[in-house]
Amino acid sequence: MEDPKENVHAVAQRQEKNPKKMGFWGLLTSPIDWLKMLCEELHWSFVLGVVIVYGISQGLGVGLSRVSTQYYMKDEQKMQPSEAQVYFGMIQIPWVIKPLWGLLTDTVPILGYRRRPYFVSAGFIGISSMLVLSLHKKLHLAFAMFSLIAGSAGIAIADVTIDACVTQNSISHPSLAGDMQSLCGLSSSIGALIGFSLSGFFVHLVGPKGVFGLLSIPSGLVVLVGMLLRESRVHNSGIRRVSEKLVDAGKTMWTTLKFREVWRPCLYMYLSLALALNIHEGMFYWYTESKGGPSFSQEVVGSISAIGAVGSLFGVLIYQNLLRNKPFRGILFWIQLLYGASGLLDLVLVLRINLKIGVPDYFFAVIDAAISLMIGRIKWMPLLVLSSKLCPAGIEGTFFALLMSIDHVGLLSSSSAGGLLLHILKVTRTQFDNLWVAILIRSLLRIVPVGFLFLIPKSDPNLSILSTEMMRTKKGASVFEPETAEMVSLINSTRPELGM
């Protein structure tokens, strides 16, 4: 592994040779210079891989699928808001079991390869599931949910490999951990912006099932990545050897989780997500179904989501330029308070206060979406950086997947509790009298995690959190061979590998 001190020194030397450009031209070229720096320090193919998986597969794909899935559940499956909220949580189940995909890609090679077959498999899973949803005229709810969950699994499997690369580079290049998460956030935000911008138009033009057909294209690109990715062939281990690696990896993860420096931040991340009850489907039905509501069209719903993605993008930029060097605890304290306050904007809209002060529904809705998602993204970024610094050497990808699965358990808990709250308050397709109560409860609960900030370390985000002994545990180092622990072609090769 590269010495982090030598890496920091190399970055400092590069910055001295390439001082920041001033003026308008410098403002325009600084993003390009930033990308060039990342390509030089981390290899261009790693940067491209992040853009493909986060930007196209996740950002663009999720941007297109979010609105189409909402209308599919409402118009095709005739669900109530509380039911749709719970089912949206169920779609995230493949992300909850993300460590399983990480263990498989790290320890079980297929035809001598650890990465390429999983990319190809993930892509074909996504293609087949989207085509089933698109081509079947009257798909039963159970089969529809199976297809939606399968599509989510395809994205999750493809995501694991890139996560491993990001985490490994965060360990070997600790000073660039924030930059890498900013790259991931920018890629997903820009992709989501494009996806949401087109989603309402496509839903109106070809219907939600037609959009599912279009979603087979991002999955096809994932297949292409698997076909073009240059990866060193490894010797196939016997079943016994593979089982030993799985057991060793499991023991290492359990040992790491027992450290105080690890389980305390994990507990905070779960609580901060689980307590922020998700009642988005109640708001969506109110937007489109309520007689006293704004009755937004499909295009308008898509545009609101698109502007929300712009807010998310601004959140990444704010974190990258102003907050990435600030201590975790200080950022999370203020942003958690702002997160709770931003939830009250929905209350203003539902109670029609905006009309009383002369603000149109659409204008207020887009401001609400932009501010809420911007604050949510700023809240999410330090947690991602923190997660990347909690991973022991040898099982970086698998352990990062475990941390992300903890987060998704929090999101699943949030959706399930939100659906239950909507059901208790009798918020239905036609009844929204108590929706304001749900919004108020959600906003107050968003502030509660402030009381658990003692679980978050006070350390500098540019420094390692785990001790040297934890980073170089004997078990962790022996789980995987050094030459195959990461995508060798992404980290070490200097030759072009992807024809995209």
Side-chain angles (χ1 to χ4, degrees), residues 157 178 286 432 472:
I157 294 171
W286 181 82
F432 302 95
R472 297 179 179 178

Side-chain angles (χ1 to χ4, degrees), residues 252 255-256 259 392-393 468-478:
T252 303
T255 300
T256 305
F259 281 99
T468 304
E469 291 75 15
M470 292 175 64
M471 296 293 291
R472 297 179 179 178
T473 58
K474 183 176 180 181
K475 284 186 178 182
S478 64

Side-chain angles (χ1 to χ4, degrees), residues 92-315:
Q92 302 302 314
I93 288 177
W95 295 85
V96 173
I97 58 173
K98 194 176 174 182
L100 174 61
W101 317 130
L103 280 172
L104 291 176
T105 57
D106 281 342
T107 62
V108 184
I110 300 176
L111 300 177
Y113 294 100
R114 296 181 182 274
R115 313 300 183 187
R116 297 175 64 180
Y118 290 98
F119 270 119
V120 174
S121 300
F124 277 117
I125 290 173
I127 291 173
S128 58
S129 60
M130 291 301 102
L131 290 180
V132 168
L133 287 167
S134 176
L135 299 177
H136 202 287
K137 292 184 178 180
K138 293 183 179 180
L139 194 62
H140 189 274
L141 176 60
F143 292 106
M145 285 303 302
F146 178 81
S147 297
L148 289 169
I149 293 173
S152 180
I155 299 175
I157 294 171
D159 174 76
V160 165
T161 301
I162 293 299
D163 279 348
C165 295
V166 171
T167 306
Q168 171 65 15
N169 280 321
S170 295
I171 293 174
S172 60
H173 300 75
S175 63
L176 295 178
D179 293 276
M180 282 181 272
Q181 293 300 339
S182 295
L183 176 64
C184 297
L186 284 169
S187 299
S188 62
S189 295
I190 293 173
L193 173 60
I194 297 173
F196 281 125
S197 299
L198 298 175
S199 61
F201 171 75
F202 280 133
V203 169
H204 177 75
L205 187 65
V206 297
K209 293 198 293 185
V211 176
F212 288 139
L214 294 174
L215 285 171
S216 62
I217 297 176
S219 298
L221 292 177
V222 173
V223 173
L224 190 62
V225 170
M227 294 173 62
L228 298 179
L229 184 67
R230 290 177 66 96
E231 180 184 7
S232 299
R233 195 181 183 94
V234 298
H235 297 291
N236 283 320
S237 303
I239 297 177
R240 183 175 180 179
R241 177 60 178 156
V242 169
S243 63
E244 289 176 355
K245 290 181 180 181
L246 289 173
V247 172
D248 288 343
K251 289 180 178 178
T252 303
M253 287 192 293
W254 175 246
T255 300
T256 305
L257 276 175
K258 290 190 294 185
F259 281 99
R260 176 187 177 93
E261 299 92 334
V262 177
W263 70 260
R264 285 164 62 94
C266 289
L267 178 59
Y268 176 84
M269 288 188 283
Y270 170 78
L271 291 174
S272 69
L273 292 168
L275 290 172
L277 301 188
N278 188 344
I279 57 170
H280 185 269
E281 296 314 300
M283 289 299 300
F284 170 71
Y285 278 70
W286 181 82
Y287 278 151
T288 57
E289 295 288 332
S290 175
K291 293 181 179 179
S295 299
F296 289 146
S297 65
Q298 296 156 337
E299 294 90 342
V300 169
V301 171
S303 67
I304 292 173
S305 299
I307 295 174
V310 174
S312 179
L313 178 58
F314 271 107

